[in-house]
Amino acid sequence: LGGGMTCLAGMLVAASGVPSKIVLTDGNALSVNNVKVSLQRNDLPSETCARVLRWGAQEEGSPPQGKFDVAMCADCLFFDEGRESLLLTLLTVLRPGGTALVVAPSRSGTFHMFASMCRPHFVVAVIEKYDHIVDQYVQKSAMDPYYNENLHFPLLMILKRLGTNN
């Protein structure tokens, strides 16, 4: 949900051949077209497509309800007007028991605001130390005068949708 690094991560997952289908999305049609070019140039073993999806928008071609097992989002929580729309989109696309992975910096607490918004609908886990390679990179980056942990350090939120898959 949301192109950029999320689409790259989705393509890496598709390359593993494990998922049956991957849908890569962005709210910008030009970004989706760029992803489609990348998909055409790569022979991925999993069925993979790209499409426009605007969070919270009710339009033709809206996402199928309760269809997906996993959703991924990256660095999108700092838009005040977008957090509620993202939450509603996650509730729409994920099946009960489905999981969303959200990676974003704290950005003055917006990451934790979103976690609080999700708690009535999801089991929420926030993980700061999830990968030793990221930790090593952050330690090196801390010496850079332009590095700002609030803006640059990626936190991981794992959301498990409440409900049963009946």
Side-chain angles (χ1 to χ4, degrees):
L1 302 172
M5 295 304 293
T6 306
C7 284
L8 289 175
M11 289 178 71
L12 284 172
V13 173
S16 74
V18 174
S20 60
K21 182 175 183 175
I22 292 188
V23 179
L24 306 170
T25 67
D26 194 280
N28 180 319
L30 181 59
S31 295
V32 170
N33 288 338
N34 289 335
V35 171
K36 287 178 179 179
V37 169
S38 294
L39 291 175
Q40 290 170 352
R41 294 182 180 174
N42 291 278
D43 185 25
L44 300 173
S46 297
E47 180 186 343
T48 307
C49 65
R51 58 174 286 204
V52 173
L53 173 65
R54 291 181 183 86
W55 301 341
Q58 295 300 319
E59 55 192 51
E60 186 175 331
S62 289
Q65 293 196 351
K67 172 117 176 149
F68 296 98
D69 295 320
V70 177
M72 296 186 296
C73 314
D75 198 16
C76 51
L77 305 176
F78 60 93
F79 295 112
D80 291 335
E81 65 281 357
R83 285 189 294 275
E84 185 174 350
S85 293
L86 174 58
L87 173 58
L88 294 174
T89 299
L90 288 172
L91 288 169
T92 299
V93 301
L94 285 173
R95 67 168 179 76
T99 301
L101 304 173
V102 181
V103 178
S106 176
R107 293 203 188 236
S108 301
T110 58
F111 182 92
H112 295 287
M113 282 182 221
F114 186 69
S116 294
M117 290 173 65
C118 291
R119 283 195 173 88
H121 312 282
F122 293 91
V123 174
V124 178
V126 173
I127 304 170
E128 292 186 23
K129 295 199 174 278
Y130 51 86
D131 185 274
H132 74 280
I133 295 172
V134 172
D135 291 343
Q136 289 173 352
Y137 182 78
V138 168
Q139 286 176 348
K140 290 178 187 174
S141 297
M143 302 301 187
D144 183 336
Y146 298 103
Y147 175 77
N148 179 332
E149 183 174 309
N150 176 56
L151 297 177
H152 301 122
F153 179 72
L155 300 167
L156 171 63
M157 183 184 319
I158 301 172
L159 304 170
K160 184 84 166 175
R161 184 156 184 232
L162 297 174
T164 58
N165 196 16
N166 294 333

